[in-house]
Structures are given as C-alpha cells and as structure tokens.
Amino acid sequence: MDFQSIALPTELRHQLLLAGANINSILIYTNKNVKKGGSFFTFFDLCNMNLIIDAGNTLVKMAVFKGRDIVYDQKIPLKDFAKNVRSIFSEFRSIQYAMLSTVGALSQAEIDMVSVFCGVHVLSHATKIPFKNSYATPQTLGVDRIALAAAAFYYNPNGNTLVIDAGSCVTYDLINDYGEYLGGAISPGVAMRYKALHTQTAKLPFLEQEEIADFIGNTTETSIHSGVVNGICNEIDGVISQYQSRFTDLTVILTGGDEQFLSKRLKNTIFAHSNFLLLGLNHLLEYNKR
C-alpha cells in the first residue's frame, strides 16, 4: 500500500500555513521506503508514532500510538476536528503515518489536512488485511467491522473470537481459529431502541438510558427501560450462547460506547475493551506499511 501526497487546494494550503503547518517538511512514505521486519513492529516503528482516527457521525475518536501503546486518546465533536489535528501534530512531532476510518462524516478537505502532516491511509474494503475474509459481500462490509476483525485476529490468533461492538448498532463479528472472518450480525443499539419506541409510536416518551431497579416495570417509563435494557442484554447473552454452541473455547470481546453500561449486566464471561477498534486500526496501519 502506498502512502502518497495529495495535491491540496491553494486556499487550504494557505490556511494550514497560517496555522503553523510546515508543508515543505512533509514526509511521504511508500512501500519501498519501509523495511520489512521479522516482528510485527520493527525498531523503526517503535521510534515513531501513528495517528489513528475513527470518525463517526457526530464524534471522532483520535489516538496516538507509539508501537503497541496508546500514548494519547481523545473523543471530540466532529466540528472540532481541524483544530485538534493541528494540536496533535504540534504535540506529537514523531507521527509519520495515519489510519483514518470514517463513515463519510469527514469532508475531503479534512482528510487532506491530515495528509499535510503525514502519510495517510483511508480504510476501505480494498485495504490489505491479515486474515481471510469469507464475507459474501466484502465490498459492503463496514470499515469498523474490518478493524474489529483485525483486532480480534491479533488479540487471539489461534482461537475463536467473537467481537461485540455496542454502539449506535450492536455488531457481532466472528474470527475463527483458522484466522478466517465469517461475518456475524447487526442489530439496533441502546439509543436506537429508545428512539424507535418514541418515533414509531404515538404516545411513548423519548427516554435516555438509565439503571433499572427491577425487570418488572410498573410505569410506562420503567417498562420502556426494562424492555430496552433487558431486551438488549438478553439478546447479547443469547447470541453468545449460540456461538458457544458451535465454536469451542470462544473468547468474547465487548467494546463500543455502551460497553461499560452493558458489561456488568451480562451473564456470560466477556472481556470488556474500550479501545479495541483503535487497536485494530493500528494493526491494519502497521500491516499496510509492509
């Protein structure tokens, strides 16, 4: 995979120069410039840093990796992206590469801004991956699910791993002990369930998630909370049990925005990992440097 420069519009270049970007000192790397090493992270990689960007519809997660370790991470509103990019590169001058995963929320100008400072790879279905992808329609597989599959592949390379990402949607993704991605499932997330009950009915109120005292709701509001919270927890536990019946020694990873809220309510043994997707993106960036 080639990391290449992007010709920037004159106005954007002018704005970046005013912001302090040194365009003449941009470092652009291609495959032939990166030495292949026997280990996953070469000595060169350990001396430099990667910027990982996961852009959702309203929020952007940004992390700086030094080798395998996260030395900085932050979640920011989408509108503050440009300001934070400049700040990160000002603080971490050893960043040489960036991996960007976006659902389409970032504009091309914002992506171009990152390329002023370092080599950029935008994750897509065409990105080189370390595992076998047996998804029937790989061109439709979401970039977040690709990153989670990569994280699972490296986290448990010789075992069966189910990754559950509890965000806007709940996604289930399975990597088997042969390093093969099989697919999974997609269902509504916690917030989406609350919203659907309100928007798809005439009188049910819109509620925010909260703790429930009992699974039997004795008011409309507590009934909604019970239905949403117990419903999604029973769904997740049920799906885990389905996978356990087919795949031996299954490792289950729970991640995503609702990971903390849900993890203590599940009956099955799971490993909660808030930065699992970021780890997967960093693994993919390293893999594509080769």
Side-chain angles (χ1 to χ4, degrees):
M1 192 279 296
D2 291 339
F3 290 86
Q4 298 179 352
S5 61
I6 300 175
L8 300 178
T10 302
E11 179 60 23
L12 178 57
R13 289 172 62 90
H14 178 65
Q15 291 177 5
L16 289 169
L17 285 168
L18 288 177
N22 184 355
I23 293 177
N24 291 325
S25 66
I26 299 171
L27 296 176
I28 302 300
Y29 292 90
T30 61
N31 280 350
K32 62 186 178 183
N33 294 331
V34 182
K35 296 181 180 179
K36 295 182 180 179
S39 61
F40 182 69
F41 289 93
T42 65
F43 176 77
F44 177 84
D45 296 323
L46 293 173
C47 294
N48 289 277
M49 295 180 173
N50 294 332
L51 174 62
I52 305 302
I53 301 170
D54 174 30
N57 290 309
T58 58
L59 293 175
V60 181
K61 299 175 190 173
M62 305 177 77
V64 176
F65 279 78
K66 185 173 183 179
R68 300 175 178 84
D69 301 321
I70 297 176
V71 296
Y72 167 92
D73 70 279
Q74 188 176 18
K75 186 183 295 184
I76 61 168
L78 187 62
K79 63 181 179 64
D80 294 335
F81 178 75
K83 179 177 66 176
N84 279 271
V85 165
R86 290 191 291 268
S87 174
I88 287 173
F89 279 99
S90 176
E91 182 176 354
F92 300 99
R93 298 181 181 274
S94 295
I95 295 173
Q96 301 295 330
Y97 303 96
M99 172 64 85
L100 199 154
S101 170
T102 177
V103 296
L106 290 180
S107 68
Q108 187 59 50
E110 289 170 318
I111 296 174
D112 289 347
M113 170 181 281
V114 181
S115 73
V116 167
F117 298 96
C118 68
V120 176
H121 181 81
V122 179
L123 182 60
S124 73
H125 71 273
T127 296
K128 185 172 65 173
I129 56 176
F131 53 87
K132 179 182 178 182
N133 187 356
S134 294
Y135 206 60
T137 55
Q139 69 278 5
T140 69
L141 183 60
V143 291
D144 53 343
R145 299 179 71 188
I146 294 173
L148 291 169
F153 176 81
Y154 286 107
Y155 181 84
N156 188 25
N158 299 310
N160 297 306
T161 307
L162 176 65
V163 183
I164 304 170
D165 185 8
S168 299
C169 293
V170 179
T171 59
Y172 303 84
D173 293 286
L174 193 284
I175 287 271
N176 67 17
D177 51 4
Y178 293 100
E180 180 182 13
Y181 175 74
L182 300 182
I186 305 172
S187 72
V190 174
M192 192 179 294
R193 295 175 192 228
Y194 277 113
K195 185 176 181 180
L197 286 172
H198 174 63
T199 59
Q200 300 299 313
T201 63
K203 295 184 178 181
L204 292 181
F206 177 71
L207 303 177
E208 301 284 347
Q209 69 181 45
E210 64 177 51
E211 303 285 342
I212 56 174
D214 190 7
F215 68 90
I216 301 175
N218 61 0
T219 67
T220 298
E221 290 192 359
T222 57
S223 295
I224 290 173
H225 286 308
S226 177
V228 170
V229 176
N230 281 306
I232 198 167
C233 289
N234 285 318
E235 174 197 306
I236 292 173
D237 275 321
V239 170
I240 292 173
S241 296
Q242 281 184 315
Y243 278 84
Q244 287 173 332
S245 68
R246 184 178 300 184
F247 299 96
T248 59
D249 299 321
L250 183 70
T251 296
V252 182
I253 307 293
L254 179 65
T255 189
D258 288 322
E259 163 236 324
Q260 291 296 326
F261 181 74
L262 295 174
S263 61
K264 56 190 175 184
R265 295 175 169 81
L266 299 178
K267 298 176 183 177
N268 283 283
T269 300
I270 55 97
F271 296 94
H273 200 311
S274 59
N275 291 322
F276 206 62
L277 190 144
L278 296 176
L279 291 175
L281 290 171
N282 191 55
H283 282 307
L284 287 171
L285 178 53
E286 290 295 328
Y287 189 75
N288 279 270
K289 289 180 185 179
R290 301 178 180 182

